[in-house]
């Protein structure tokens, strides 16, 4: 479930760990009416993957805290240039804004935070903004992923 923060700046979604689909199992929603197994048991030996990382082919953006701070500083400057004239959006990227607060939280908990980039990043496309991932609640099914709404592009499918 996607959640947008009250400022309209950050979109968050709680991930979950799933068994990767090999493409061979198709569930048409008819239970065992067509000879399926009555009871599906999960193989404990199968390694689970994060559904967001796996589904969107995200890659860990590994760096030192100092390098990440520098990288984010440059990316924030780029976003601010793009948002010139939109004061309502710029304030959230300012020192007391929602985006700045999330970035400060991620950097202050750097060891427990993972930064991801899309697959195009490893192909040399340096345009993207990192996606921040950290545990929000111990009871969640996986880490919460945070996306900066001003950095997303709509893609018509």
């Amino acid at each position: 479930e996607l959640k947008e923060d009250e400022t309209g700046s950050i979109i968050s979604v709680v991930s979950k760990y799933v068994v990767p689909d090999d493409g061979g199992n198709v569930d048409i929603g008819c239970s065992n009416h067509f000879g399926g197994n009555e009871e599906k048991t999960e193989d404990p030996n199968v390694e689970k993957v994060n559904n967001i990382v796996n589904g969107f082919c995200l890659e860990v953006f590994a760096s030192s805290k100092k390098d990440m701070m520098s990288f984010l500083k440059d990316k924030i400057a780029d976003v601010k240039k793009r948002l010139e004239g939109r004061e309502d959006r710029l304030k959230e990227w300012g020192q007391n804004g929602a985006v700045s607060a999330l970035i400060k939280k991620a950097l202050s908990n750097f060891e427990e935070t993972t930064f991801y980039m899309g697959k195009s990043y490893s192909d040399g496309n340096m345009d993207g903004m990192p996606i921040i991932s950290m545990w929000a609640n111990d009871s969640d099914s996986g880490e919460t992923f945070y996306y900066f709404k001003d950095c997303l592009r709509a893609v018509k499918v």
Side-chain angles (χ1 to χ4, degrees):
E1 173 185 350
L2 294 176
K3 292 182 183 175
E4 191 172 318
D5 76 334
E6 58 278 349
T7 68
S9 302
I10 300 165
I11 297 173
S12 64
V13 62
V14 178
S15 64
K16 61 183 172 181
Y17 285 84
V18 297
V19 175
D21 185 16
D22 62 5
N25 298 326
V26 178
D27 181 3
I28 59 171
C30 294
S31 185
N32 65 342
H33 294 287
F34 297 104
N37 295 335
E38 280 197 30
E39 185 178 314
K40 284 190 176 184
T41 57
E42 211 170 89
D43 185 350
N45 298 321
V46 174
E47 186 176 339
K48 292 185 175 188
V49 296
N50 185 289
N51 66 329
I52 294 175
V53 173
N54 189 56
F56 293 100
C57 301
L58 298 180
E59 297 178 2
V60 173
F61 182 63
S63 74
S64 67
K65 183 176 181 178
K66 182 180 176 183
D67 289 342
M68 181 58 71
M69 288 171 63
S70 176
F71 182 78
L72 288 170
K73 184 178 178 181
D74 292 343
K75 290 294 180 184
I76 290 168
D78 291 343
V79 172
K80 284 181 174 182
K81 281 181 196 171
R82 200 169 26 88
L83 294 175
E84 281 180 3
R86 297 190 56 204
E87 296 306 316
D88 60 321
R89 300 304 321 136
L90 275 172
K91 74 176 184 178
E92 298 307 329
W93 290 84
Q95 195 161 358
N96 296 319
V99 172
S100 294
L102 175 62
I103 290 172
K104 285 176 188 172
K105 179 180 178 182
L107 290 172
S108 68
N109 296 306
F110 188 76
E111 298 301 320
E112 292 84 34
T113 302
T114 306
F115 297 87
Y116 289 96
M117 294 293 277
K119 185 176 179 341
S120 63
Y121 179 76
S122 63
D123 296 336
N125 181 353
M126 305 291 274
D127 292 337
M129 184 74 162
I131 300 162
I132 296 174
S133 167
M134 58 184 140
W135 285 92
N137 299 306
D138 290 340
S139 62
D140 287 344
S141 56
E143 298 95 331
T144 299
F145 283 71
Y146 299 92
Y147 299 84
F148 302 106
K149 190 172 178 183
D150 294 312
C151 298
L152 298 176
R153 286 188 212 145
V155 176
K156 205 171 194 179
V157 189

PDB file of all heavy atoms in Angstrom, residues 63-73 76 100-113 115 132 134:
ATOM      1  N   SER A  63      28.085   3.103  -0.448  1.00  0.00           N
ATOM      2  CA  SER A  63      29.073   4.164  -0.322  1.00  0.00           C
ATOM      3  C   SER A  63      29.307   4.426   1.156  1.00  0.00           C
ATOM      4  O   SER A  63      28.568   3.943   2.009  1.00  0.00           O
ATOM      5  CB  SER A  63      28.603   5.439  -1.022  1.00  0.00           C
ATOM      6  OG  SER A  63      27.596   6.069  -0.279  1.00  0.00           O
ATOM      7  N   SER A  64      30.312   5.221   1.423  1.00  0.00           N
ATOM      8  CA  SER A  64      30.543   5.639   2.797  1.00  0.00           C
ATOM      9  C   SER A  64      29.514   6.715   3.145  1.00  0.00           C
ATOM     10  O   SER A  64      28.882   7.299   2.254  1.00  0.00           O
ATOM     11  CB  SER A  64      31.952   6.210   2.946  1.00  0.00           C
ATOM     12  OG  SER A  64      32.060   7.428   2.226  1.00  0.00           O
ATOM     13  N   LYS A  65      29.359   6.984   4.429  1.00  0.00           N
ATOM     14  CA  LYS A  65      28.421   8.009   4.858  1.00  0.00           C
ATOM     15  C   LYS A  65      28.827   9.366   4.289  1.00  0.00           C
ATOM     16  O   LYS A  65      27.982  10.122   3.802  1.00  0.00           O
ATOM     17  CB  LYS A  65      28.369   8.053   6.387  1.00  0.00           C
ATOM     18  CG  LYS A  65      27.363   9.029   6.936  1.00  0.00           C
ATOM     19  CD  LYS A  65      27.291   8.939   8.448  1.00  0.00           C
ATOM     20  CE  LYS A  65      26.274   9.899   9.016  1.00  0.00           C
ATOM     21  NZ  LYS A  65      26.178   9.771  10.479  1.00  0.00           N
ATOM     22  N   LYS A  66      30.100   9.657   4.297  1.00  0.00           N
ATOM     23  CA  LYS A  66      30.600  10.934   3.781  1.00  0.00           C
ATOM     24  C   LYS A  66      30.295  11.071   2.292  1.00  0.00           C
ATOM     25  O   LYS A  66      29.823  12.108   1.834  1.00  0.00           O
ATOM     26  CB  LYS A  66      32.105  11.033   4.032  1.00  0.00           C
ATOM     27  CG  LYS A  66      32.725  12.321   3.579  1.00  0.00           C
ATOM     28  CD  LYS A  66      34.217  12.341   3.870  1.00  0.00           C
ATOM     29  CE  LYS A  66      34.839  13.617   3.302  1.00  0.00           C
ATOM     30  NZ  LYS A  66      36.285  13.644   3.499  1.00  0.00           N
ATOM     31  N   ASP A  67      30.549  10.003   1.521  1.00  0.00           N
ATOM     32  CA  ASP A  67      30.278  10.041   0.079  1.00  0.00           C
ATOM     33  C   ASP A  67      28.782  10.156  -0.200  1.00  0.00           C
ATOM     34  O   ASP A  67      28.365  10.849  -1.127  1.00  0.00           O
ATOM     35  CB  ASP A  67      30.853   8.812  -0.623  1.00  0.00           C
ATOM     36  CG  ASP A  67      32.368   8.837  -0.697  1.00  0.00           C
ATOM     37  OD1 ASP A  67      32.967   9.924  -0.519  1.00  0.00           O
ATOM     38  OD2 ASP A  67      32.963   7.756  -0.916  1.00  0.00           O
ATOM     39  N   MET A  68      27.959   9.477   0.621  1.00  0.00           N
ATOM     40  CA  MET A  68      26.508   9.563   0.437  1.00  0.00           C
ATOM     41  C   MET A  68      26.021  10.981   0.721  1.00  0.00           C
ATOM     42  O   MET A  68      25.180  11.510  -0.009  1.00  0.00           O
ATOM     43  CB  MET A  68      25.782   8.557   1.335  1.00  0.00           C
ATOM     44  CG  MET A  68      24.270   8.575   1.179  1.00  0.00           C
ATOM     45  SD  MET A  68      23.671   8.255  -0.502  1.00  0.00           S
ATOM     46  CE  MET A  68      24.037   6.520  -0.642  1.00  0.00           C
ATOM     47  N   MET A  69      26.561  11.600   1.743  1.00  0.00           N
ATOM     48  CA  MET A  69      26.169  12.970   2.064  1.00  0.00           C
ATOM     49  C   MET A  69      26.504  13.904   0.900  1.00  0.00           C
ATOM     50  O   MET A  69      25.686  14.742   0.511  1.00  0.00           O
ATOM     51  CB  MET A  69      26.867  13.439   3.341  1.00  0.00           C
ATOM     52  CG  MET A  69      26.324  12.795   4.596  1.00  0.00           C
ATOM     53  SD  MET A  69      27.292  13.136   6.098  1.00  0.00           S
ATOM     54  CE  MET A  69      27.136  14.894   6.238  1.00  0.00           C
ATOM     55  N   SER A  70      27.670  13.735   0.333  1.00  0.00           N
ATOM     56  CA  SER A  70      28.090  14.562  -0.798  1.00  0.00           C
ATOM     57  C   SER A  70      27.203  14.312  -2.018  1.00  0.00           C
ATOM     58  O   SER A  70      26.777  15.251  -2.702  1.00  0.00           O
ATOM     59  CB  SER A  70      29.553  14.268  -1.124  1.00  0.00           C
ATOM     60  OG  SER A  70      29.963  14.967  -2.255  1.00  0.00           O
ATOM     61  N   PHE A  71      26.921  13.040  -2.283  1.00  0.00           N
ATOM     62  CA  PHE A  71      26.075  12.666  -3.415  1.00  0.00           C
ATOM     63  C   PHE A  71      24.683  13.266  -3.260  1.00  0.00           C
ATOM     64  O   PHE A  71      24.136  13.859  -4.190  1.00  0.00           O
ATOM     65  CB  PHE A  71      26.004  11.141  -3.519  1.00  0.00           C
ATOM     66  CG  PHE A  71      25.189  10.634  -4.670  1.00  0.00           C
ATOM     67  CD1 PHE A  71      25.701  10.637  -5.954  1.00  0.00           C
ATOM     68  CD2 PHE A  71      23.910  10.142  -4.468  1.00  0.00           C
ATOM     69  CE1 PHE A  71      24.952  10.163  -7.022  1.00  0.00           C
ATOM     70  CE2 PHE A  71      23.151   9.672  -5.519  1.00  0.00           C
ATOM     71  CZ  PHE A  71      23.681   9.682  -6.804  1.00  0.00           C
ATOM     72  N   LEU A  72      24.102  13.125  -2.070  1.00  0.00           N
ATOM     73  CA  LEU A  72      22.767  13.659  -1.819  1.00  0.00           C
ATOM     74  C   LEU A  72      22.743  15.179  -1.906  1.00  0.00           C
ATOM     75  O   LEU A  72      21.784  15.755  -2.421  1.00  0.00           O
ATOM     76  CB  LEU A  72      22.244  13.188  -0.462  1.00  0.00           C
ATOM     77  CG  LEU A  72      21.845  11.719  -0.381  1.00  0.00           C
ATOM     78  CD1 LEU A  72      21.587  11.303   1.053  1.00  0.00           C
ATOM     79  CD2 LEU A  72      20.646  11.424  -1.260  1.00  0.00           C
ATOM     80  N   LYS A  73      23.783  15.819  -1.433  1.00  0.00           N
ATOM     81  CA  LYS A  73      23.862  17.274  -1.508  1.00  0.00           C
ATOM     82  C   LYS A  73      23.791  17.726  -2.963  1.00  0.00           C
ATOM     83  O   LYS A  73      23.052  18.667  -3.301  1.00  0.00           O
ATOM     84  CB  LYS A  73      25.154  17.766  -0.850  1.00  0.00           C
ATOM     85  CG  LYS A  73      25.289  19.250  -0.782  1.00  0.00           C
ATOM     86  CD  LYS A  73      26.580  19.641  -0.071  1.00  0.00           C
ATOM     87  CE  LYS A  73      26.735  21.147  -0.052  1.00  0.00           C
ATOM     88  NZ  LYS A  73      27.976  21.550   0.616  1.00  0.00           N
ATOM     89  N   ILE A  76      20.223  17.047  -4.341  1.00  0.00           N
ATOM     90  CA  ILE A  76      19.257  18.019  -3.813  1.00  0.00           C
ATOM     91  C   ILE A  76      19.402  19.347  -4.541  1.00  0.00           C
ATOM     92  O   ILE A  76      18.400  19.987  -4.884  1.00  0.00           O
ATOM     93  CB  ILE A  76      19.423  18.168  -2.288  1.00  0.00           C
ATOM     94  CG1 ILE A  76      18.949  16.886  -1.595  1.00  0.00           C
ATOM     95  CG2 ILE A  76      18.663  19.377  -1.764  1.00  0.00           C
ATOM     96  CD1 ILE A  76      19.319  16.799  -0.129  1.00  0.00           C
ATOM     97  N   SER A 100      14.209  16.995   3.776  1.00  0.00           N
ATOM     98  CA  SER A 100      15.424  17.165   4.577  1.00  0.00           C
ATOM     99  C   SER A 100      15.357  16.339   5.861  1.00  0.00           C
ATOM    100  O   SER A 100      16.345  15.736   6.276  1.00  0.00           O
ATOM    101  CB  SER A 100      15.643  18.630   4.914  1.00  0.00           C
ATOM    102  OG  SER A 100      15.903  19.355   3.743  1.00  0.00           O
ATOM    103  N   ALA A 101      14.191  16.297   6.479  1.00  0.00           N
ATOM    104  CA  ALA A 101      14.025  15.530   7.714  1.00  0.00           C
ATOM    105  C   ALA A 101      14.242  14.039   7.464  1.00  0.00           C
ATOM    106  O   ALA A 101      14.905  13.360   8.267  1.00  0.00           O
ATOM    107  CB  ALA A 101      12.636  15.769   8.300  1.00  0.00           C
ATOM    108  N   LEU A 102      13.708  13.528   6.366  1.00  0.00           N
ATOM    109  CA  LEU A 102      13.895  12.109   6.055  1.00  0.00           C
ATOM    110  C   LEU A 102      15.361  11.810   5.762  1.00  0.00           C
ATOM    111  O   LEU A 102      15.904  10.806   6.236  1.00  0.00           O
ATOM    112  CB  LEU A 102      13.026  11.691   4.860  1.00  0.00           C
ATOM    113  CG  LEU A 102      13.240  10.255   4.386  1.00  0.00           C
ATOM    114  CD1 LEU A 102      12.887   9.239   5.476  1.00  0.00           C
ATOM    115  CD2 LEU A 102      12.435   9.987   3.132  1.00  0.00           C
ATOM    116  N   ILE A 103      16.007  12.664   5.006  1.00  0.00           N
ATOM    117  CA  ILE A 103      17.425  12.445   4.678  1.00  0.00           C
ATOM    118  C   ILE A 103      18.277  12.505   5.944  1.00  0.00           C
ATOM    119  O   ILE A 103      19.166  11.666   6.148  1.00  0.00           O
ATOM    120  CB  ILE A 103      17.896  13.451   3.613  1.00  0.00           C
ATOM    121  CG1 ILE A 103      17.234  13.103   2.272  1.00  0.00           C
ATOM    122  CG2 ILE A 103      19.414  13.445   3.488  1.00  0.00           C
ATOM    123  CD1 ILE A 103      17.461  14.108   1.170  1.00  0.00           C
ATOM    124  N   LYS A 104      17.992  13.442   6.836  1.00  0.00           N
ATOM    125  CA  LYS A 104      18.725  13.532   8.103  1.00  0.00           C
ATOM    126  C   LYS A 104      18.523  12.257   8.926  1.00  0.00           C
ATOM    127  O   LYS A 104      19.473  11.735   9.518  1.00  0.00           O
ATOM    128  CB  LYS A 104      18.276  14.746   8.905  1.00  0.00           C
ATOM    129  CG  LYS A 104      18.804  16.052   8.369  1.00  0.00           C
ATOM    130  CD  LYS A 104      18.244  17.230   9.150  1.00  0.00           C
ATOM    131  CE  LYS A 104      18.613  18.542   8.477  1.00  0.00           C
ATOM    132  NZ  LYS A 104      17.941  19.693   9.089  1.00  0.00           N
ATOM    133  N   LYS A 105      17.294  11.763   8.957  1.00  0.00           N
ATOM    134  CA  LYS A 105      17.009  10.535   9.708  1.00  0.00           C
ATOM    135  C   LYS A 105      17.779   9.360   9.108  1.00  0.00           C
ATOM    136  O   LYS A 105      18.369   8.558   9.837  1.00  0.00           O
ATOM    137  CB  LYS A 105      15.502  10.247   9.680  1.00  0.00           C
ATOM    138  CG  LYS A 105      15.103   8.987  10.411  1.00  0.00           C
ATOM    139  CD  LYS A 105      13.607   8.756  10.353  1.00  0.00           C
ATOM    140  CE  LYS A 105      13.237   7.458  11.041  1.00  0.00           C
ATOM    141  NZ  LYS A 105      11.799   7.186  10.950  1.00  0.00           N
ATOM    142  N   ALA A 106      17.785   9.262   7.786  1.00  0.00           N
ATOM    143  CA  ALA A 106      18.489   8.156   7.115  1.00  0.00           C
ATOM    144  C   ALA A 106      19.991   8.231   7.377  1.00  0.00           C
ATOM    145  O   ALA A 106      20.628   7.207   7.655  1.00  0.00           O
ATOM    146  CB  ALA A 106      18.201   8.188   5.620  1.00  0.00           C
ATOM    147  N   LEU A 107      20.550   9.423   7.303  1.00  0.00           N
ATOM    148  CA  LEU A 107      21.990   9.565   7.516  1.00  0.00           C
ATOM    149  C   LEU A 107      22.371   9.368   8.977  1.00  0.00           C
ATOM    150  O   LEU A 107      23.439   8.831   9.276  1.00  0.00           O
ATOM    151  CB  LEU A 107      22.472  10.917   7.000  1.00  0.00           C
ATOM    152  CG  LEU A 107      22.449  11.065   5.478  1.00  0.00           C
ATOM    153  CD1 LEU A 107      22.763  12.498   5.076  1.00  0.00           C
ATOM    154  CD2 LEU A 107      23.414  10.090   4.802  1.00  0.00           C
ATOM    155  N   SER A 108      21.491   9.769   9.902  1.00  0.00           N
ATOM    156  CA  SER A 108      21.801   9.575  11.320  1.00  0.00           C
ATOM    157  C   SER A 108      21.705   8.097  11.706  1.00  0.00           C
ATOM    158  O   SER A 108      22.300   7.674  12.690  1.00  0.00           O
ATOM    159  CB  SER A 108      20.907  10.432  12.209  1.00  0.00           C
ATOM    160  OG  SER A 108      19.574   9.995  12.148  1.00  0.00           O
ATOM    161  N   ASN A 109      20.958   7.316  10.933  1.00  0.00           N
ATOM    162  CA  ASN A 109      20.855   5.867  11.139  1.00  0.00           C
ATOM    163  C   ASN A 109      21.498   5.132   9.951  1.00  0.00           C
ATOM    164  O   ASN A 109      20.955   4.150   9.457  1.00  0.00           O
ATOM    165  CB  ASN A 109      19.389   5.450  11.266  1.00  0.00           C
ATOM    166  CG  ASN A 109      18.739   6.052  12.477  1.00  0.00           C
ATOM    167  OD1 ASN A 109      19.224   5.907  13.585  1.00  0.00           O
ATOM    168  ND2 ASN A 109      17.646   6.770  12.261  1.00  0.00           N
ATOM    169  N   PHE A 110      22.636   5.639   9.515  1.00  0.00           N
ATOM    170  CA  PHE A 110      23.268   5.174   8.282  1.00  0.00           C
ATOM    171  C   PHE A 110      23.508   3.660   8.261  1.00  0.00           C
ATOM    172  O   PHE A 110      23.304   3.013   7.238  1.00  0.00           O
ATOM    173  CB  PHE A 110      24.595   5.923   8.060  1.00  0.00           C
ATOM    174  CG  PHE A 110      25.216   5.654   6.723  1.00  0.00           C
ATOM    175  CD1 PHE A 110      24.706   6.255   5.584  1.00  0.00           C
ATOM    176  CD2 PHE A 110      26.307   4.810   6.606  1.00  0.00           C
ATOM    177  CE1 PHE A 110      25.268   6.014   4.338  1.00  0.00           C
ATOM    178  CE2 PHE A 110      26.876   4.566   5.367  1.00  0.00           C
ATOM    179  CZ  PHE A 110      26.362   5.167   4.229  1.00  0.00           C
ATOM    180  N   GLU A 111      23.912   3.094   9.375  1.00  0.00           N
ATOM    181  CA  GLU A 111      24.217   1.652   9.429  1.00  0.00           C
ATOM    182  C   GLU A 111      22.960   0.792   9.258  1.00  0.00           C
ATOM    183  O   GLU A 111      23.054  -0.343   8.804  1.00  0.00           O
ATOM    184  CB  GLU A 111      24.924   1.296  10.738  1.00  0.00           C
ATOM    185  CG  GLU A 111      26.261   1.991  10.919  1.00  0.00           C
ATOM    186  CD  GLU A 111      27.260   1.679   9.808  1.00  0.00           C
ATOM    187  OE1 GLU A 111      27.318   0.525   9.370  1.00  0.00           O
ATOM    188  OE2 GLU A 111      27.979   2.606   9.381  1.00  0.00           O
ATOM    189  N   GLU A 112      21.799   1.331   9.599  1.00  0.00           N
ATOM    190  CA  GLU A 112      20.546   0.580   9.482  1.00  0.00           C
ATOM    191  C   GLU A 112      19.751   0.963   8.234  1.00  0.00           C
ATOM    192  O   GLU A 112      18.625   0.496   8.044  1.00  0.00           O
ATOM    193  CB  GLU A 112      19.662   0.807  10.714  1.00  0.00           C
ATOM    194  CG  GLU A 112      20.211   0.210  11.986  1.00  0.00           C
ATOM    195  CD  GLU A 112      21.224   1.124  12.679  1.00  0.00           C
ATOM    196  OE1 GLU A 112      21.071   2.350  12.609  1.00  0.00           O
ATOM    197  OE2 GLU A 112      22.187   0.595  13.261  1.00  0.00           O
ATOM    198  N   THR A 113      20.310   1.832   7.414  1.00  0.00           N
ATOM    199  CA  THR A 113      19.627   2.330   6.220  1.00  0.00           C
ATOM    200  C   THR A 113      20.305   1.777   4.979  1.00  0.00           C
ATOM    201  O   THR A 113      21.526   1.672   4.936  1.00  0.00           O
ATOM    202  CB  THR A 113      19.666   3.873   6.185  1.00  0.00           C
ATOM    203  OG1 THR A 113      19.054   4.374   7.381  1.00  0.00           O
ATOM    204  CG2 THR A 113      18.929   4.420   4.979  1.00  0.00           C
ATOM    205  N   PHE A 115      20.453   2.351   0.781  1.00  0.00           N
ATOM    206  CA  PHE A 115      20.130   3.236  -0.326  1.00  0.00           C
ATOM    207  C   PHE A 115      20.150   2.402  -1.597  1.00  0.00           C
ATOM    208  O   PHE A 115      21.076   1.609  -1.812  1.00  0.00           O
ATOM    209  CB  PHE A 115      21.144   4.383  -0.427  1.00  0.00           C
ATOM    210  CG  PHE A 115      21.136   5.277   0.777  1.00  0.00           C
ATOM    211  CD1 PHE A 115      21.898   4.990   1.896  1.00  0.00           C
ATOM    212  CD2 PHE A 115      20.351   6.421   0.789  1.00  0.00           C
ATOM    213  CE1 PHE A 115      21.885   5.818   3.006  1.00  0.00           C
ATOM    214  CE2 PHE A 115      20.323   7.258   1.896  1.00  0.00           C
ATOM    215  CZ  PHE A 115      21.099   6.952   3.012  1.00  0.00           C
ATOM    216  N   ILE A 132      15.418   5.365  -0.363  1.00  0.00           N
ATOM    217  CA  ILE A 132      15.843   5.069   1.002  1.00  0.00           C
ATOM    218  C   ILE A 132      15.002   3.922   1.544  1.00  0.00           C
ATOM    219  O   ILE A 132      13.783   3.900   1.400  1.00  0.00           O
ATOM    220  CB  ILE A 132      15.688   6.319   1.895  1.00  0.00           C
ATOM    221  CG1 ILE A 132      16.620   7.426   1.403  1.00  0.00           C
ATOM    222  CG2 ILE A 132      15.941   5.979   3.359  1.00  0.00           C
ATOM    223  CD1 ILE A 132      16.446   8.748   2.125  1.00  0.00           C
ATOM    224  N   MET A 134      14.505   1.556   5.106  1.00  0.00           N
ATOM    225  CA  MET A 134      14.823   1.267   6.509  1.00  0.00           C
ATOM    226  C   MET A 134      13.586   0.693   7.193  1.00  0.00           C
ATOM    227  O   MET A 134      12.475   0.858   6.709  1.00  0.00           O
ATOM    228  CB  MET A 134      15.351   2.505   7.224  1.00  0.00           C
ATOM    229  CG  MET A 134      14.444   3.709   7.238  1.00  0.00           C
ATOM    230  SD  MET A 134      15.282   5.098   8.008  1.00  0.00           S
ATOM    231  CE  MET A 134      14.726   6.406   6.945  1.00  0.00           C
TER     232      MET A 134
END
